[in-house]
Structures are given as C-alpha cells and as structure tokens.
Amino acid sequence: MNTEKIKVHFTDNYLINPTNPIAVNMIGAGGTGSKVLTGLMEMNHSLIALGHAGLQIRLWDDDIITEANLGRQRFADSETGLYKSVALINRANRWSGTNWKSETVKFERDSLGRLPEHGGASIFISCVDNVKARFEIADILTGLNNNYTYSNCPRYWIDFGNSQHTGQVILSSIGKIKQPNSEKYEPVDNLPFITEEFTDLLKQSETNDDAPSCSLAEALDKQDLYINGVLAQMGCSLLWELFRNGLIETRGLFLNLKNFRSQPIPVA
C-alpha cells in the first residue's frame, strides 16, 4: 500500500482573506502581458464578487505601440504611438472602474543600484521576452528581503516565457511561505525561481532574437499567433487556483502548441 503523501503548496494566508486589494507588479505588456492583463481584469471582478478585496495592479513597460504590435497583441490602430502600459491600464480602468497604475519605465535597478520605486507587491508577474530580464528580475526579488509592510510583503513570482511554438509558466515563492500541518498532504514551503531551477534551459534559449519586429508578418515568424494567449489563459488559471482553492499540486507547465501538448510541473 502506497502511503506517500501528495506534495502541495498552501497559499499564503494573507492572499486568501486580505484587508486590502492584493498588490501586484506586472512586468511586460506585449504579446503575453497584454492578454494576461485581461485575465487579471476577469479575476479581479470575480474575486470581488466572492467577497475578496481583489487586486491592485501596477503595469511596467517602457515600449511604445507600433504597427507590428497590432493583431498579435491587444492593441488597436488608434493606440499606435502610446505607451503599451498606459493604453492597457487606461482600458482596464475604464472597463472595471479600478484605479490600477502604469509605469512607462523598465522594472530594473537604477544607475546607483537602487530598487524600483513602487516596487513593493505581494505578487510579481513577468512577461518579458529575453533571458537577461528574467535574471535581473530574480536578482531584484532576492534583494527585496521582505522589507515592505506586511500587506506588500513579496510572496510569489509567476513567470511567462515562450518561443515561436513553445512556452512555459512557472510559479515561484519569494522565500519560504509558512505552511500548515497536514495529515493528508506533504506541504512544501519553497517553490524555486525559474532562474535557479532551469538555469541551463534559460541559457540555451539566450540566443533567441528579441529585437523589435518591423511588421506583423515578421513578428509571427518569431511567435505564433496563439502561443501567447494560450499561455496567458493557463497561467491565469494557475493563479486563480492559488486564490480559489488555497493550495496547488501543480506549480506550472511546459506547453508545445505545435503538437497541442502540455506538461505540468508538480510541486516538489
């Protein structure tokens, strides 16, 4: 008889029943980020309907909308020339009556090595298009050291990444999350960073061309039309499970849209 307990991660208690909206720093507003934000709008509305305090999003991106972004990303022709973060947050606030914020700079340390202003949040979501940015985010999150107020104490990082037909979503804890005792499950208090767990995989993909595309056709040669949207939906579903169920057995996934296969990443 197999008596081995299933490994799970219990959601940090504060996220389940907060007194104020959960602060979220979202980094990247492109092909994936623009679609993840739609998922967060739906999630915020649903959480509030269930009696939760909801989410407070701050979106970071210094890119300007160009014609090449239309079609694959969530932008209209009339928004060309605007900052991506401003266009998306303005639209989200009009739709949902929220007071979410946009930042038209990169989420990075300044020339003196200081952390970003307004950098405090409970959840960090990265939708960046190069490996260097992921390692920089990991370095910043490691340096936060929980120096913020309890409501903005850094707890989780969820990273979205993809190539043309494949991608991954990985949830990490920022440090250890206190877990309850359980007779049924084996609680896991630490979910490692993608930069720690899959360092070799990230370095292998470091040669990918992340230069801006000049047209939609060129952009589609780098990232297929629906890879971003599928990852966004699956990643938001993972985050929703963290809120709704209070525990997870799976902390991410690898996706191959070419053969329609996904591989879950179990809590371990």
Side-chain angles (χ1 to χ4, degrees), residues 106-157:
K106 291 182 178 180
F107 186 81
E108 62 184 5
R109 295 180 185 272
D110 64 18
S111 57
L112 299 177
R114 293 174 300 195
L115 298 174
E117 189 178 1
H118 310 301
S122 291
I123 298 173
F124 294 79
I125 300 174
S126 55
C127 306
V128 295
D129 56 9
N130 63 79
V131 175
K132 181 174 178 287
R134 282 188 179 81
F135 279 96
E136 289 175 350
I137 292 168
D139 178 64
I140 290 174
L141 297 185
T142 301
L144 290 179
N145 288 328
N146 298 327
N147 288 330
Y148 291 90
T149 60
Y150 186 74
S151 60
N152 286 338
C153 178
R155 293 170 170 88
Y156 295 103
W157 173 25

Side-chain angles (χ1 to χ4, degrees), residues 28-202:
T32 302
S34 60
K35 295 177 173 66
V36 169
L37 190 70
T38 300
L40 295 178
M41 290 163 56
E42 298 165 345
M43 193 180 305
N44 178 65
H45 185 87
S46 300
L47 285 171
I48 292 173
L50 293 170
H52 190 278
L55 308 173
Q56 178 62 37
I57 309 294
R58 187 176 293 272
L59 178 60
W60 301 72
D61 199 306
D62 66 337
D63 280 351
I64 300 292
I65 301 166
T66 66
E67 187 175 343
N69 301 139
L70 309 182
R72 194 178 62 83
Q73 302 182 19
R74 285 266 160 85
F75 301 111
D77 185 65
S78 59
E79 294 171 320
T80 303
L82 299 176
Y83 280 103
K84 291 180 178 180
S85 57
V86 172
L88 289 173
I89 289 298
N90 283 346
R91 194 189 310 159
N93 287 339
R94 286 196 301 269
W95 182 81
S96 57
T98 49
N99 188 30
W100 293 355
K101 305 297 183 181
S102 61
E103 297 286 346
T104 57
V105 295
K106 291 182 178 180
F107 186 81
E108 62 184 5
R109 295 180 185 272
D110 64 18
S111 57
L112 299 177
R114 293 174 300 195
L115 298 174
E117 189 178 1
H118 310 301
S122 291
I123 298 173
F124 294 79
I125 300 174
S126 55
C127 306
V128 295
D129 56 9
N130 63 79
V131 175
K132 181 174 178 287
R134 282 188 179 81
F135 279 96
E136 289 175 350
I137 292 168
D139 178 64
I140 290 174
L141 297 185
T142 301
L144 290 179
N145 288 328
N146 298 327
N147 288 330
Y148 291 90
T149 60
Y150 186 74
S151 60
N152 286 338
C153 178
R155 293 170 170 88
Y156 295 103
W157 173 25
I158 183 168
D159 177 72
F160 293 77
N162 68 279
S163 57
Q164 185 175 12
H165 299 291
T166 63
Q168 76 282 335
V169 181
I170 297 178
L171 174 71
S172 306
S173 63
I174 302 173
K176 293 183 178 180
I177 304 295
K178 186 177 180 180
Q179 299 287 287
N181 295 324
S182 175
E183 294 183 1
K184 183 178 180 180
Y185 299 109
E186 180 183 340
V188 176
D189 61 3
N190 182 59
L191 308 176
F193 282 5
I194 181 175
T195 50
E196 299 169 356
E197 191 174 17
F198 299 106
T199 304
D200 292 340
L201 180 65
L202 289 175

Side-chain angles (χ1 to χ4, degrees), residues 14 24 98 168 196-197 203 220 248:
Y14 182 77
V24 178
T98 49
Q168 76 282 335
E196 299 169 356
E197 191 174 17
K203 288 182 177 179
L220 291 173
I248 53 171

Side-chain angles (χ1 to χ4, degrees), residues 68 72 213-224:
R72 194 178 62 83
S213 301
C214 296
S215 67
L216 176 58
E218 185 178 339
L220 291 173
D221 282 337
K222 297 178 182 178
Q223 299 184 52
D224 200 44

